[in-house]
Amino acid sequence: MHRHFLLFKPYGYLSQFIYELKRKKKLLGELYDFPEGTMAIGRLDEDSEGLLLLTTDGKISEQIRSKKVDKEYYVQVDGIITPEAIEQLQNGVEIGFDGGKYKTKPCSAFIVTEIPDFGPRAKKIRDERHGPTSWASITINEGKFRQVRKMTAAVGFPTLRLVRVRIGNVYLQNLKAGDVQEVSDFQLDN
């Protein structure tokens, strides 16, 4: 019987259970007693937070990764993001990828006016003396390395905090950093 989990990955954790290199890293197994053979479906960078799906079923993992499933991110950016920057993001922007240039596919993006309550991040972002920040939502169904961070930087608003809030029709809901919720399945039909 396979098991499936939703996790709010906290800042500072790798999206994996084993890390071969010498440096000590925080791994997902420290957050919960997951069953043997649990794997993360997709990943979030060490300095990104939010929804991560975990499963013991490799087939489901493959299906989700092979489908172009929408992933929605809330990004806190440096400065007050403009409607023009949002429009650029929606139309696709050029980012560096694999030593070359890559134009991102058109996506959904909008300014988030109500500051989301994700709780404080493990590492303080910075204080108000460095100027204002704002939030935007970006939904993509591709996943180039550090793509969302590169996209906001490309339009002049570097990402300070990145939280994935949705994968397909599975939402972060009321999970807080480090929370794990076991589910019967992901019901990811778009």
Side-chain angles (χ1 to χ4, degrees):
M1 194 59 196
H2 284 294
R3 294 173 67 189
H4 315 288
F5 304 89
L6 310 181
L7 163 68
F8 186 140
K9 186 189 94 58
Y11 176 89
Y13 281 77
L14 295 182
S15 295
Q16 57 201 59
F17 290 91
I18 300 166
Y19 185 71
E20 303 289 338
L21 302 177
K22 297 265 188 286
R23 294 196 312 259
K24 181 80 178 107
K25 295 285 186 179
K26 292 182 186 170
L27 305 175
L28 298 179
E30 298 171 37
L31 297 170
Y32 186 83
D33 188 15
F34 291 104
E36 181 100 15
T38 300
M39 65 192 88
I41 302 174
R43 51 179 14 140
L44 285 169
D45 298 329
E46 187 173 2
D47 50 0
S48 299
E49 308 162 73
L51 183 61
L52 200 55
L53 307 181
L54 299 115
T55 185
T56 57
D57 185 348
K59 279 200 201 94
I60 283 188
S61 177
E62 253 332 283
Q63 287 168 354
I64 292 173
R65 282 206 315 269
S66 66
K67 279 190 203 162
K68 291 297 182 192
V69 177
D70 282 348
K71 294 167 200 76
E72 183 178 2
Y73 299 86
Y74 275 21
V75 287
Q76 183 181 20
V77 297
D78 191 0
I80 304 299
I81 197 160
T82 62
E84 294 77 23
I86 292 290
E87 191 179 329
Q88 285 178 290
L89 291 169
Q90 291 168 342
N91 295 329
V93 294
E94 198 172 86
I95 60 173
F97 177 69
D98 248 1
K101 295 280 181 210
Y102 175 80
K103 185 167 167 82
T104 60
K105 292 184 172 71
C107 70
S108 164
F110 60 87
I111 295 170
V112 174
T113 50
E114 200 172 305
I115 296 172
D117 179 20
F118 295 123
R121 195 175 76 175
K123 179 174 178 238
K124 190 159 169 38
I125 294 164
R126 61 173 209 193
D127 63 39
E128 308 310 311
R129 292 184 308 229
H130 293 98
T133 66
S134 57
W135 286 85
S137 161
I138 298 175
T139 301
I140 58 175
N141 61 16
E142 49 182 345
K144 303 292 182 226
F145 180 67
R146 297 178 79 80
Q147 179 173 338
V148 173
R149 292 174 186 282
K150 289 176 180 179
M151 287 170 68
T152 67
V155 297
F157 295 91
T159 295
L160 301 171
R161 186 176 187 185
L162 185 145
V163 182
R164 184 160 58 200
V165 296
R166 179 173 65 86
I167 299 172
N169 53 13
V170 178
Y171 287 83
L172 192 57
Q173 295 163 353
N174 298 323
L175 293 177
K176 296 289 180 219
D179 285 356
V180 175
Q181 179 184 352
E182 188 158 1
V183 293
S184 55
D185 61 42
F186 296 127
Q187 300 174 327
L188 267 173
D189 309 321
N190 278 1

